[in-house]
Structure formats: structure tokens, C-alpha cells
Amino acid sequence: MRQVVTFIALIVMLSFSVNAVFDYDATRQKSGIVNVPEGSSASLSLDSAKGVELSVVKANEKNALVLLDSKSLFFNIGDIKEVDLDSDGVNDVGLILDSVVDKVANFKIQKLVNPTVVDIEE
């Protein structure tokens, strides 16, 4: 009986402690750094619940080709791109390619103080 009670208590504790873990979460930090090796990805979130994947497709010492969910972005070192993390039509963060070392893209992320409306491509 004691084992059953212990097991149930463990299940209850785990159910309350399950939270998504993001490499960058705008609810917890205004800015951050993510390092993403070529062929890998990082998860970015605006609200601690839903996230987007930032995948580095190709990286060299001068630039990087990135997929942000299904949208492809090309960065040269120092480029900043404003991106919409929650698909509401408003850019939420600025993403800067700071450097690429040994095919690892190093991005700085800054939450936008004055979010901008996303341009709709036709």
C-alpha cells in the first residue's frame, strides 16, 4: 500500500512540474544568446507555452542560412532581423547573427520594446 501511495504522489508531483524548456523565453529574459551548430536547432518562445524552432541549415565564417519554423532567413554577420515568435502579425524580438565559429552560429536575441507589424508578402 505504501508503494502505491508513493507512486501516486510521484505522478502528481511530476504533473505539476512539467514545463516546456526553451533556449530563449521572452517571459523570463529581455535578451539572450543562443548558440546553434549547423544542422541543429534552438527553441524560442514569447510566452513560455508555444515556441518556434530556429534551425541552422548552413553556416560559415561570414553568414548563416536559417529556418525559423518554415520561413528561411539569410544572415550575414551583424545582420539583425525582427521576427514574430507567436504568429500574431507583430514582430516580437530582434535576432542578430553575432558570429559563426566552427559552424556554430551565435545569435543575440533582444525583446523589442516597441514591436513592429510584420510586412505581409503577396
Side-chain angles (χ1 to χ4, degrees):
M1 180 66 178
R2 184 175 182 189
Q3 291 174 336
V4 172
V5 172
T6 303
F7 179 73
I8 292 171
L10 180 62
I11 296 297
V12 170
M13 287 174 34
L14 286 175
S15 67
F16 286 113
S17 66
V18 174
N19 290 327
V21 177
F22 298 99
D23 296 297
Y24 171 80
D25 184 350
T27 59
R28 298 174 190 251
Q29 58 198 102
K30 291 181 181 180
S31 63
I33 297 172
V34 292
N35 302 312
V36 187
E38 182 179 276
S40 296
S41 62
S43 58
L44 313 176
S45 176
L46 185 64
D47 60 7
S48 292
K50 180 183 171 201
V52 297
E53 289 296 312
L54 170 75
S55 301
V56 175
V57 177
K58 194 81 172 153
N60 63 44
E61 63 277 351
K62 296 181 182 179
N63 50 50
L65 177 61
V66 171
L67 285 177
L68 186 63
D69 271 350
S70 61
K71 182 179 180 183
S72 96
L73 302 170
F74 182 80
F75 286 87
N76 287 311
I77 301 294
D79 281 354
I80 182 169
K81 306 220 187 263
E82 293 183 355
V83 295
D84 180 9
L85 296 182
D86 59 358
S87 302
D88 67 351
V90 177
N91 288 324
D92 306 301
V93 298
L95 190 60
I96 304 165
L97 179 60
D98 189 47
S99 64
V100 179
V101 179
D102 295 328
K103 296 193 179 241
V104 177
N106 305 299
F107 292 95
K108 289 182 181 178
I109 304 170
Q110 181 70 46
K111 187 173 180 182
L112 297 176
V113 176
N114 297 313
T116 58
V117 175
V118 175
D119 292 330
I120 299 173
E121 296 177 18
E122 294 187 50

